[in-house]
Amino acid sequence: MKTKGKVFLILLFFILLVIAAGGYYLYSQISPLKVSDDLQNQSVRFEVPMGTSTFTIAEELQNKGLIKNAKFFYYFVRYPKLLNIVFKDQPVPQDFVLKSGIYHLNYQMNYAQLVNALCSGEQEYIKLAIPEGKTISQIGKILEDNNICKQEDFKAVCYSPELLNKYNIAGESAEGFLFPETYFFTLGMTARDAAEIMIETFFEKIKAIDGLSEKTPQELYNIVILASIVEREYRVADEAPLIASVFTNRLKQNIGLYSCATIVYIITEIQGRPHPDRVLLEDTKIDNPYNTYKWAGLTPGPISNPGLVALSAAANPPKTNYYFFQVVDSQAGRHVFTSTFDEHKASHNLSTKK
């Protein structure tokens, strides 16, 4: 019996030793890394692209030196009850999801802190300014250059009937409805997400313009078309309403708008050629429905995405007798406005031809 007792004690000792060794190893693997004092609280930028698997995230955490063992982290994430057993004072939600984005972590974070950070949604945002007067393709290029989404994906979404139906946009694309603003996007955001944010901002912003939100989809679309042309023509804000009044007067008389901006749109967006230094006489003869030198009325669709100044001007143009305008001070962007063709010709001596 004494021999059996000794054997039992020896086995028990080894079992406890194995358990202790395993516990120590586990503890060593899930504990924060030991780093130098200058790295103790240093921020580590950590990117999680859209669709990244949990194990890939774990491997990248290990590569960044934020954890010691990717496999351990992976299994703790797969079985969050283990996290809550080991880190009782830092509970992790049982239904958490690791979210895409850009996070700032540090070397002193344990598994529970890392998981809570990566599922918090408190990520780094990408601040991005979309200027007035840009087109769908130009905005798509800005988004792609800043790693938000692909330009082609953005263009495809903006021409999606599903998207247009959702927002009751009367045209064939979302051109004109992508409001120019400074946005805070996240890494891995889809093209659809980006487009919807801009469109929803458009409808929110136009509430500030008297009567514009109450227009029918077609009435609103016509105003946006006019605003998109005004946007590309004015340089000084107080002249935008006057330019809108010129175009409105011409529309009422079924006179061509004669807007160089529409010719530039044809050249760059439809024909895919470089932006011209100036519009030539031969350019005004291009056979295209967007050519306001050949065709009276509005263009088939917007030629840019206008801001509030142009939208306000197009929605409520002042009543004037102006039918012409041309640059009088190219440096300041000032125009001279006239009512008759004779006045327009006379003003040419003081101005640079538009």
Side-chain angles (χ1 to χ4, degrees):
M1 292 294 293
K2 290 182 179 180
T3 302
K4 289 183 178 180
K6 288 181 179 179
V7 171
F8 174 76
L9 290 174
I10 292 171
L11 286 174
L12 180 61
F13 173 76
F14 277 108
I15 290 171
L16 293 174
L17 185 62
V18 170
I19 292 173
Y24 177 78
Y25 177 72
L26 174 63
Y27 177 78
S28 70
Q29 292 301 301
I30 65 177
S31 298
L33 280 75
K34 292 182 179 180
V35 294
S36 59
D37 292 341
D38 60 330
L39 292 178
Q40 285 280 335
N41 297 308
Q42 181 174 308
S43 178
V44 180
R45 190 174 186 272
F46 188 75
E47 297 184 11
V48 181
M50 182 74 73
T52 306
S53 69
T54 300
F55 191 71
T56 300
I57 293 173
E59 287 184 317
E60 188 58 25
L61 286 170
Q62 182 175 326
N63 293 337
K64 290 276 189 180
L66 290 161
I67 61 173
K68 296 175 182 175
N69 193 307
K71 289 182 179 179
F72 270 92
F73 184 83
Y74 172 76
Y75 284 114
F76 269 91
V77 171
R78 288 295 303 273
Y79 304 102
K81 288 183 179 179
L82 293 175
L83 279 169
N84 288 333
I85 291 173
V86 178
F87 304 99
K88 294 180 180 179
D89 58 334
Q90 298 164 334
V92 172
Q94 295 299 298
D95 58 349
F96 73 86
V97 176
L98 300 183
K99 299 178 180 178
S100 62
I102 302 174
Y103 298 87
H104 289 274
L105 311 175
N106 68 69
Y107 294 106
Q108 295 305 296
M109 299 176 79
N110 60 37
Y111 279 19
Q113 292 169 323
L114 288 170
V115 169
N116 279 320
L118 295 174
C119 71
S120 68
E122 296 178 0
Q123 34 194 283
E124 177 187 286
Y125 290 93
I126 301 171
K127 184 178 180 181
L128 195 58
I130 305 297
E132 289 92 346
K134 297 298 183 182
T135 62
I136 287 174
S137 62
Q138 291 170 333
I139 293 174
K141 180 68 163 54
I142 294 172
L143 293 174
E144 182 170 315
D145 288 345
N146 286 273
N147 300 314
I148 305 300
C149 62
K150 295 293 185 183
Q151 181 185 31
E152 289 305 315
D153 292 344
F154 185 74
K155 289 173 65 176
V157 164
C158 288
Y159 279 84
S160 163
E162 181 185 359
L163 182 74
L164 303 179
N165 291 336
K166 178 177 180 178
Y167 293 101
N168 290 319
I169 295 174
E172 296 181 354
S173 77
E175 192 82 271
F177 292 81
L178 305 170
F179 194 79
E181 179 67 281
T182 297
Y183 293 96
F184 293 87
F185 296 119
T186 57
L187 182 75
M189 177 178 284
T190 66
R192 176 67 178 255
D193 290 337
E196 289 196 353
I197 287 173
M198 292 186 222
I199 294 172
E200 288 170 8
T201 301
F202 170 89
F203 283 105
E204 184 62 32
K205 290 291 186 179
I206 65 170
K207 292 178 181 178
I209 301 174
D210 186 34
L212 194 54
S213 294
E214 288 71 47
K215 300 293 184 182
T216 67
Q218 188 59 54
E219 289 173 335
L220 177 60
Y221 190 61
N222 289 340
I223 290 171
V224 171
I225 293 174
L226 177 57
S228 75
I229 301 173
V230 172
E231 181 66 61
R232 295 292 294 271
E233 291 284 1
Y234 90 88
R235 283 180 56 192
V236 183
D238 60 23
E239 289 188 354
L242 296 178
I243 292 174
S245 76
V246 169
F247 290 147
T248 300
N249 290 338
R250 282 176 162 265
L251 288 170
K252 288 178 180 178
Q253 298 298 323
N254 200 33
I255 302 172
L257 300 184
Y258 278 49
S259 166
C260 290
T262 63
I263 304 300
V264 172
Y265 180 82
I266 295 170
I267 292 171
T268 59
E269 296 295 320
I270 298 176
Q271 296 183 341
R273 292 191 281 147
H275 194 291
D277 293 330
R278 56 179 296 186
V279 173
L280 304 176
L281 179 61
E282 62 189 61
D283 295 327
T284 64
K285 299 177 181 180
I286 297 173
D287 188 14
N288 188 283
Y290 278 85
N291 185 345
T292 55
Y293 282 81
K294 289 195 69 172
W295 309 100
L298 292 171
T299 51
I303 66 167
S304 74
N305 288 278
L308 277 181
V309 170
L311 285 165
S312 298
N316 299 290
K319 292 183 178 180
T320 71
N321 293 320
Y322 296 140
Y323 282 85
F324 305 91
F325 67 96
Q326 58 186 333
V327 175
V328 69
D329 184 340
S330 58
Q331 187 170 359
R334 285 288 177 183
H335 296 83
V336 60
F337 296 84
T338 50
S339 299
T340 68
F341 187 62
D342 287 339
E343 290 174 339
H344 178 64
K345 287 192 297 181
S347 69
H348 180 72
N349 296 327
L350 301 175
S351 65
T352 300
K353 189 175 181 181
K354 280 186 59 61

